[in-house]
Amino acid sequence: MTRRDEFAEFVTGRSGALHRAAYLMVGDRALAQDLVQEALVKTYAAWPRLRDKGNAEAYCRKAITTTAISWFRRKSWSHERPSESLPSGADGGHADSVTQSQWLWEGLQQLPPRQRAAIVLRYYEDLTEVQTAEAMGCAVGTVKSQVSAGIAKLREHLGDDADLLPLTDLVVNR
């Protein structure tokens, strides 16, 4: 199998998960697509240097994370996103679940890039602290502090409704 074929197989198999992680980090579909493309270019360039092709996803995820953080630093992102409609109150059942998801989404988008990346990698991507630290290019202690600070800010954002969303609701099954 050629380098190109191996990489194409990797992209076909993992692009959905990579795009989901990028989207959760940046909150914009088009920006997430750009981010994944940038990370895939970096991964393809590094492909010959990867000793274990099984680590390609971790390499690509790290490229997504570091690129997203550097983009937000350069652009001085203000955390504001335009919206066509205001969120409405919940009327029960499925609507409550949707409302809770919306509250969590809005809270996640208000976090600084490193805290958001740590929470996305740790809870949405279900990575260990060590894997998250590798993806972010930092120490495990930094991951712990970023996640702790991010969850505290989420709880602050949610206010009285924070009890409706325990930490287990952050976990999304693959």
Side-chain angles (χ1 to χ4, degrees):
M1 185 178 282
T2 68
R3 168 185 166 189
R4 183 180 219 151
D5 293 336
E6 286 177 333
F7 185 75
E9 185 176 307
F10 163 71
V11 171
T12 301
R14 299 309 303 157
S15 63
L18 295 170
H19 186 268
R20 182 184 68 228
Y23 177 72
L24 290 169
M25 284 183 208
V26 299
D28 180 85
R29 191 162 295 170
L31 188 57
Q33 289 171 347
D34 291 345
L35 186 57
V36 170
Q37 289 302 314
E38 181 82 19
L40 288 173
V41 167
K42 291 176 182 179
T43 303
Y44 185 73
W47 197 259
R49 295 189 313 270
L50 294 175
R51 292 183 188 151
D52 179 8
K53 302 304 185 216
N55 290 333
E57 184 174 357
Y59 183 93
C60 193
R61 191 180 294 119
K62 181 174 183 172
I64 288 171
T65 304
T66 56
T67 303
I69 290 169
S70 69
W71 281 3
F72 287 122
R73 283 182 182 157
R74 263 186 273 138
K75 293 180 181 181
S76 298
W77 188 53
S78 67
H79 302 287
E80 296 177 8
R81 299 238 182 249
S83 175
E84 292 186 25
S85 63
L86 295 174
S88 61
D91 55 21
H94 178 67
D96 283 342
S97 177
V98 171
T99 301
Q100 286 179 350
S101 295
Q102 183 64 32
W103 289 332
L104 185 57
W105 174 251
E106 289 171 2
L108 193 61
Q109 293 307 303
Q110 291 183 9
L111 295 178
R114 289 183 63 82
Q115 289 176 7
R116 185 176 339 121
I119 288 174
V120 166
L121 293 171
R122 187 75 177 93
Y123 294 105
Y124 283 90
E125 291 298 311
D126 199 25
L127 298 181
T128 65
E129 290 171 340
V130 172
Q131 291 170 324
T132 302
E134 289 172 3
M136 293 180 66
C138 63
V140 172
T142 302
V143 169
K144 291 178 181 181
S145 65
Q146 293 291 317
V147 166
S148 177
I151 290 173
K153 284 186 182 182
L154 280 174
R155 292 191 186 282
E156 181 181 309
H157 170 72
L158 297 174
D160 293 336
D161 296 321
D163 293 336
L164 298 175
L165 294 172
L167 186 59
T168 56
D169 285 352
L170 290 176
V171 179
V172 174
N173 294 329
R174 288 186 181 178

